[in-house]
Amino acid sequence: MKYILVTGGVISGVGKGVIASSLGTLLKSCGIEVTSIKIDPYINIDAGTFSPYEHGEVYVLDDGSEVDLDLGNYERFLDITLHRDNNITTGKIYKLVIEAERRGEYLGRTVQVIPHITDAIQEWIERVAQHPVRDNITPEVCIVELGGTIGDIEGMPFVDAFRQFQFHVKRENFCVAHVSLVPSPSSTGEPKTKPTQASVKELRGFGLSPDLIVCRSEEPIGIEVKKKISDFCHVAPEQVICVHDLSSIYHVPLLMEQHGVIEFLKERLQLSIRPEKRENCLQRWKSLTRRSEKLHKQVTIALVGKYTKFKDSYDSVIKALQHAALQVGYKLKLNFIYSELLESKTLTEDPSNYHKVWQLLCESDGVVVPGGFGSRGIEGKIIACKWCRENNRPLLGICMGLQAAVIEFARNVLNLKKANTTEIDPTTEHPLVVDMPEHHSTEMGGTMRLGKRKTIFKSELSIVKQLYGNPQSVDERHRHRYEVNLKYVNQLEEQGMRFVGVDESGERMEIVELQNHPFYVATQYHPEYLSRPLKPSPPFLGLILASVKGLSKYIARGCHLSPRQMSDASSDEEIQMTTKINTSKLNGHSEHLQQANGCFVNGSSQAELIIASNGKSNGVA
């Protein structure tokens, strides 16, 4: 087993997750099986109880574990399925050691950070590195990202564990990539290398020497700066890689490949890369980024949520929208709308922001109402659902978004004016949404319906079922504690709100569609977690198609792209392959050309974010 440790310096959020994912992409493109581990030095057992403003979204895996959003990057880049133990926290390690001590496994010895905590860390990494993450194949390389920055007190046991680990697994099986910031202050106008020098010096002081120094900067840095870092940080100039700000994170693997990272890793870790594999490296990624740069048409989607001050709060939703938009040849523009500002009370308290967010909503081609918890902003989500229903605007509700759509329909169509969720009003006269009794608990973490669960389609006429390819059921990931009240389902369906998907018991409503509407769909599960650059999530694809008025034609073609969409979304080679396959079958009817092998390579365009939150713009990504 080969190990690559990715550390960070100067500041947090410097991009270690994308660098780690890109290293894995480079290796996987050469035919090497890769797995990933994320280390978070906080004492929490997992990320499930975090506010999205703390660490961004909580990402959910198949097994129901709530983990750091970087594991979402790993799964999307590498198209693998990670597990609970691929996310290590200080809380997990100390819990493991303390439980072992209580069982008497240390035979009366004093339990200390060294060697007991550091040994537990090393044993965990070696065990998890062997766990298959794709097709039951044992990985060859494990990429470990150490969260935080070098020098953080909470990260010290992990740093020392890796100091020992490098000798345990031998030098030829272990290398370190250190990601550091190279700022360019406007007062001087030139890149400053001193922060990186100090960061590398500190890393060396802890017994780890970087093999690669990845310099993050706003603009490309010149050869003089690279040479200076090389001289002061004791690495060769070719081991200093500059990754400047790019229009899309999917360009990062290509940039690193241009810097010769594949050849370096091949020699440093003594990897066996077959020549025929090496020649085909990154062809799909090159095609993906090339297509994303050619997009001219634009689709505008409003994301109506309560955590819009921090775009990482909806990282997977944003990526899923990007995947779907590129699939049909559109550049994505996102209008982030703080849902509370849509409420009528804002009109009197802050009329300027009220009109601003309503303008953003009205100019959008489609709307996403994502998940969330708590009472703040729920009425704004309900208002957004009402506006979409009455104005025939495409809507995709997710988790609480489904609950908001159901409550709105009950209030304004069934005339149940006091309809609400018991999460907000436990004594509501009409509890349209109630908590699930088996998830009652005095604790907060891990007490929801979590992980991959089966959804069974009830109706053959379902739009969502057709988007999935007409299966009898689908498996998607969940994260919720409340559900639609079964007592109101018949009343809702009688008025046109159809529950087309249910769980295996038939008592939990998973998918809702509104009759006589271009696209009014909501899911209790989170489809964004399984969206991939090469395979967009079907509900998100349906939203984008409806937003560009192409859904009905897409479904009429049997859920295949039109020739024009294929030319926008596919490389020249793919179009030629598809045309060759289908022309002989369709006798010249080019309008019915189907996709070769079921889908086309797709990916992410740069999202233009307009953030409306308390009247202040929070930046453009």
Side-chain angles (χ1 to χ4, degrees):
M1 177 65 65
K2 310 291 184 178
Y3 298 90
I4 301 174
L5 173 65
V6 179
T7 61
V10 184
I11 62 171
S12 60
V14 75
K16 298 187 300 297
V18 174
I19 298 300
S21 301
S22 299
L23 288 170
T25 300
L26 293 176
L27 294 174
K28 189 174 179 182
S29 70
C30 297
I32 295 173
E33 292 297 326
V34 179
T35 186
S36 295
I37 295 176
K38 173 66 188 295
I39 296 176
D40 289 303
Y42 45 68
I43 299 176
N44 304 63
I45 296 296
D46 57 38
T49 56
F50 281 141
S51 163
Y53 290 134
E54 285 281 335
H55 286 269
E57 75 168 3
V58 176
Y59 190 77
V60 177
L61 302 176
D62 275 6
D63 59 15
S65 51
E66 298 170 291
V67 297
D68 185 85
L69 61 83
D70 278 322
L71 274 78
N73 276 330
Y74 305 156
E75 286 200 335
R76 283 187 288 268
F77 268 79
L78 304 177
D79 195 20
I80 57 179
T81 301
L82 298 176
H83 310 281
R84 185 184 311 275
D85 289 346
N86 288 86
N87 192 196
I88 304 175
T89 69
T90 296
K92 286 182 179 180
I93 294 294
Y94 272 80
K95 184 173 183 285
L96 181 72
V97 172
I98 291 170
E99 288 175 348
E101 187 274 334
R102 291 289 83 190
R103 292 191 299 269
E105 294 183 12
Y106 297 114
L107 300 176
R109 286 173 291 174
T110 302
V111 180
Q112 297 175 292
V113 174
I114 301 174
H116 302 101
I117 294 296
T118 53
D119 283 353
I121 294 168
Q122 295 176 66
E123 290 165 6
W124 189 305
I125 290 170
E126 284 195 287
R127 171 174 56 83
V128 174
Q130 302 287 338
H131 199 295
V133 292
R134 189 178 72 88
D135 299 334
N136 291 319
I137 302 172
T138 301
E140 301 171 60
V141 176
C142 178
I143 299 174
V144 185
E145 178 192 345
L146 176 57
T149 56
I150 290 298
D152 293 345
I153 189 169
E154 60 266 28
M156 295 307 298
F158 295 99
V159 174
D160 199 75
F162 284 109
R163 178 189 63 78
Q164 301 172 37
F165 192 66
Q166 64 184 331
F167 302 111
H168 172 65
V169 299
K170 308 303 181 186
R171 184 179 186 278
E172 64 271 17
N173 298 320
F174 183 85
C175 76
V176 179
H178 186 63
V179 186
S180 182
L181 179 69
V182 178
S184 297
S186 57
S187 58
T188 63
E190 62 178 356
K192 294 296 181 181
T193 65
K194 191 64 71 177
T196 296
Q197 294 176 39
S199 178
V200 172
K201 182 179 180 180
E202 192 166 21
L203 181 64
R204 288 183 178 279
F206 295 136
L208 291 171
S209 296
D211 298 283
L212 281 175
I213 298 177
V214 181
C215 299
R216 289 284 292 111
S217 58
E218 292 184 3
E219 302 293 334
I221 60 175
I223 187 65
E224 300 84 3
V225 177
K226 292 181 64 172
K227 187 176 186 305
K228 187 175 183 180
I229 293 173
S230 168
D231 291 340
F232 281 91
C233 295
H234 196 59
V235 295
E238 59 268 22
Q239 293 171 251
V240 180
I241 310 299
C242 173
V243 179
H244 58 282
D245 291 350
L246 298 164
S247 61
S248 167
I249 60 174
Y250 298 111
H251 287 75
V252 177
L254 301 181
L255 181 61
M256 295 179 71
E257 191 263 346
Q258 292 171 9
H259 281 287
V261 171
I262 291 178
E263 291 299 331
F264 173 80
L265 293 177
K266 177 183 177 181
E267 295 179 10
R268 175 67 181 76
L269 295 175
Q270 300 177 13
L271 296 171
S272 177
I273 298 178
R274 297 191 301 274
E276 65 271 19
K277 286 285 186 182
R278 182 67 182 86
E279 292 175 2
N280 295 322
C281 279
L282 295 172
Q283 288 305 314
R284 293 186 300 172
W285 285 88
K286 291 175 182 178
S287 175
L288 182 155
T289 54
R290 183 168 59 247
R291 293 195 312 276
S292 69
E293 293 169 349
K294 293 180 179 179
L295 301 176
H296 302 295
K297 298 175 291 184
Q298 180 174 280
V299 58
T300 303
I301 301 295
L303 194 156
V304 181
K306 63 182 290 188
Y307 309 116
T308 51
K309 292 180 184 178
F310 187 35
K311 93 178 173 68
D312 277 355
S313 301
Y314 299 109
D315 190 54
S316 292
V317 173
I318 294 170
K319 297 296 193 303
L321 287 167
Q322 292 171 346
H323 301 162
L326 183 55
Q327 173 79 344
V328 294
Y330 277 78
K331 182 179 181 180
L332 176 68
K333 177 184 177 183
L334 276 176
N335 288 343
F336 269 51
I337 296 176
Y338 178 41
S339 58
E340 196 170 28
L341 295 181
L342 293 171
E343 299 173 16
S344 57
K345 65 180 182 181
T346 309
L347 182 58
T348 55
E349 296 172 358
D350 192 352
S352 175
N353 275 330
Y354 179 81
H355 293 297
K356 185 182 298 182
V357 297
W358 271 102
Q359 181 179 353
L360 288 175
L361 183 64
C362 292
E363 72 180 20
S364 301
D365 302 308
V367 177
V368 172
V369 179
F373 297 92
S375 60
R376 181 170 56 87
I378 179 63
E379 291 298 327
K381 292 184 176 183
I382 292 171
I383 290 169
C385 292
K386 181 175 185 288
W387 181 82
C388 289
R389 180 178 60 82
E390 294 180 341
N391 292 277
N392 286 328
R393 198 61 59 95
L395 170 77
L396 175 61
I398 300 169
C399 196
M400 182 178 270
L402 177 143
Q403 297 167 13
V406 170
I407 292 169
E408 185 281 319
F409 194 82
R411 288 179 183 178
N412 299 300
V413 179
L414 301 185
N415 205 31
L416 305 177
K417 298 302 182 184
K418 298 297 181 72
N420 212 328
T421 166
T422 57
E423 179 183 9
I424 310 304
D425 182 6
T427 62
T428 179
E429 182 180 345
H430 297 292
L432 265 290
V433 178
V434 295
D435 62 343
M436 293 178 283
E438 69 269 36
H439 293 289
H440 287 171
S441 175
T442 57
E443 296 185 356
M444 293 294 292
T447 57
M448 293 178 282
R449 190 166 188 250
L450 291 164
K452 183 179 279 191
R453 307 292 182 99
K454 188 177 295 295
T455 293
I456 299 172
F457 288 104
K458 289 170 50 180
S459 173
E460 295 296 326
L461 300 177
S462 166
I463 291 175
V464 177
K465 182 179 181 183
Q466 294 179 72
L467 289 169
Y468 275 102
N470 284 308
Q472 294 305 308
S473 64
V474 293
D475 294 318
E476 291 279 3
R477 296 176 182 176
H478 294 67
R479 185 177 187 249
H480 66 102
R481 190 179 287 113
Y482 293 82
E483 62 177 346
V484 175
N485 192 337
L486 195 61
K487 296 178 181 178
Y488 291 90
V489 168
N490 288 338
Q491 290 177 254
L492 293 164
E493 291 198 319
E494 287 171 0
Q495 297 299 318
M497 178 166 271
R498 299 186 305 130
F499 293 93
V500 298
V502 296
D503 76 336
E504 291 177 289
S505 72
E507 296 182 352
R508 293 203 170 107
M509 304 300 109
E510 294 281 359
I511 307 172
V512 63
E513 296 178 8
L514 189 63
Q515 289 180 322
N516 303 317
H517 192 283
F519 189 82
Y520 193 96
V521 168
T523 64
Q524 187 60 69
Y525 56 77
H526 289 260
E528 68 270 22
Y529 291 142
L530 292 182
S531 182
R532 300 288 182 262
L534 307 182
K535 187 173 66 175
S537 168
F540 283 91
L541 185 61
L543 174 69
I544 296 296
L545 284 164
S547 299
V548 300
K549 297 179 172 55
L551 180 60
S552 59
K553 293 180 180 179
Y554 179 78
I555 291 176
R557 293 188 184 95
C559 291
H560 296 297
L561 297 176
S562 69
R564 182 176 182 83
Q565 288 169 327
M566 287 193 295
S567 65
D568 289 334
S570 306
S571 66
D572 294 339
E573 297 89 346
E574 290 164 335
I575 294 171
Q576 292 169 4
M577 181 188 300
T578 306
T579 304
K580 184 177 180 180
I581 290 172
N582 289 287
T583 300
S584 61
K585 295 181 180 179
L586 299 178
N587 298 321
H589 294 284
S590 60
E591 69 273 18
H592 296 294
L593 285 178
Q594 302 176 16
Q595 300 178 21
N597 300 323
C599 65
F600 284 106
V601 178
N602 54 83
S604 171
S605 63
Q606 181 185 15
E608 300 176 0
L609 304 179
I610 300 177
I611 301 178
S613 179
N614 297 327
K616 297 180 180 179
S617 171
N618 288 280
V620 176

